Amino acid sequence: MSARSPRVLVVDDEADLRELLELTLVKMGLDVDSAASLAAARALLAAHDYQLVLTDMRLPDGLGLELVREAGAAGRHTPVAVLTAFGSADNAVVALKAGAFDYVCKPVALDQLRLMVASALRLDHGAPAAPPASRLHGDSAVMRALRAQIARLARSMAPIAIHGESGSGKELAARDIHAQSARAAQPFIAVNCGAIPEALMEAEFFGYRKGAFTGAVDERDGFFQAANGGTLMLDEVADLPLAMQVKLLRAIQERRVRKLGATAEEPVDVRLISATHKNLAQCVEQGGFRQDLFYRLNVIELSVPPLRARLDDLPLLTAAILGRLGAAGQPVTLGPGVLEALSGYAFPGNVRELENILERALAFANGGVIQVDDLSLKGARDAASLPPPSSPAADTLPSSLPDYLNQVEREIILRALARTRFNRTQAAQLLGISFRQLRYQMQKLNIQEPEA
């Protein structure tokens, strides 16, 4: 006996569009009911279970958003997608914020509709019965709340903007969202936007055809095609140049990309997650980030707390990290007073810094037992508390302003590098500049990494 086909409810007062949607969904092998009003839709929802509801935003007796909110309030977890007028980005964002699974623009592009429906049906049938183990270790109240929020967000297609300090676990949160979603079996692609040369960005994001430029000897997919059906994470999205922001905005709005050298666009189905340690709203105010792109990426915010806000999690975190470090050899243990010493440290580099500290300590430890002296926390504190850059007396002027400014900049960069143990990526993040900018300034000021 064959399994029953998934059931979909279409709600729209335009008879022609309703018929088109019904025919398209029936050809996909689905059972379809339709309604022309909010009242009729409510009656059908009360009588049947649906795997997807597709509703117009404006109905004769109310708004489709009411169905979105009611489906969420009733605890049904039925995905509800909305139909919005072409170019009504505001309506789409409002619907996603209200809890809509996704949206489709009018006039309806049938290929986009099919992709959205397939994604929604995977949500109902393809998600694992039990959620996978979280990559975010910790049992503090803030971490329990974070994991609960991730579980809720995993059921949506809404873009998510993850905020948090460097090393706090933003990518781990993004991977948890992907792993708990209906897209778990599809690719998860993480892209560090600050590490791609500006001249290569369009080719890296959208791909290229053979012969599109010198050196393009084969056709290649970009990040969007590689993540098709899955999740694309844009890490350090604030580092995107303005020219690339325009192209990214178009790809998000149209859900289509065009390879370099190609004449036609191709549809892509990706769930977007962005992350940055910077304040994106402040970047918008300063003109470094487009407001319209910010509006599309920042539909739902997720904040990852710094390690200093959850020091109760240190025992669990250290146990997990040491379990990985000692997996290939003898077990690793902590000597007396080590956890207390770690609890008194500020961890400007968060969990990533904790991993570096423990890995370094293990290299100095005897017999797999880490002692307080092996942590070298005193050196890190001294680096963090270096005196401020020297300045001339109030009544004097520097003999050479460029030389003086170079000296100040050199001292500040050296302090950041000392604090991060010459991890240039972390140092750039501490200073609020891109990795490329830091590398250029280090070359200009002749700052070299000390020999090991």
Side-chain angles (χ1 to χ4, degrees), residues 343-364:
S343 298
Y345 183 56
F347 290 105
N350 292 291
V351 180
R352 187 182 297 129
E353 183 179 10
L354 174 63
E355 292 176 346
N356 292 341
I357 288 172
L358 293 176
E359 189 170 7
R360 175 184 171 88
L362 182 58
F364 290 102

Side-chain angles (χ1 to χ4, degrees), residues 127-204:
S134 174
R135 295 165 174 81
L136 294 163
H137 296 287
D139 198 38
S140 60
V142 290
M143 291 307 289
R144 290 197 299 270
L146 177 62
R147 285 194 292 268
Q149 191 174 3
I150 284 173
R152 291 193 299 271
L153 296 181
R155 294 188 59 83
S156 168
M157 266 285 289
I160 297 173
I162 302 179
H163 304 283
E165 295 179 6
S166 174
S168 57
K170 296 187 293 296
E171 184 173 335
L172 295 181
R175 288 184 180 275
D176 271 7
I177 293 170
H178 174 75
Q180 295 181 41
S181 74
R183 297 171 173 259
Q186 305 301 318
F188 175 91
I189 305 296
V191 180
N192 187 334
C193 299
I196 307 171
E198 186 171 349
L200 300 178
M201 276 195 169
E202 188 172 358
E204 291 290 330

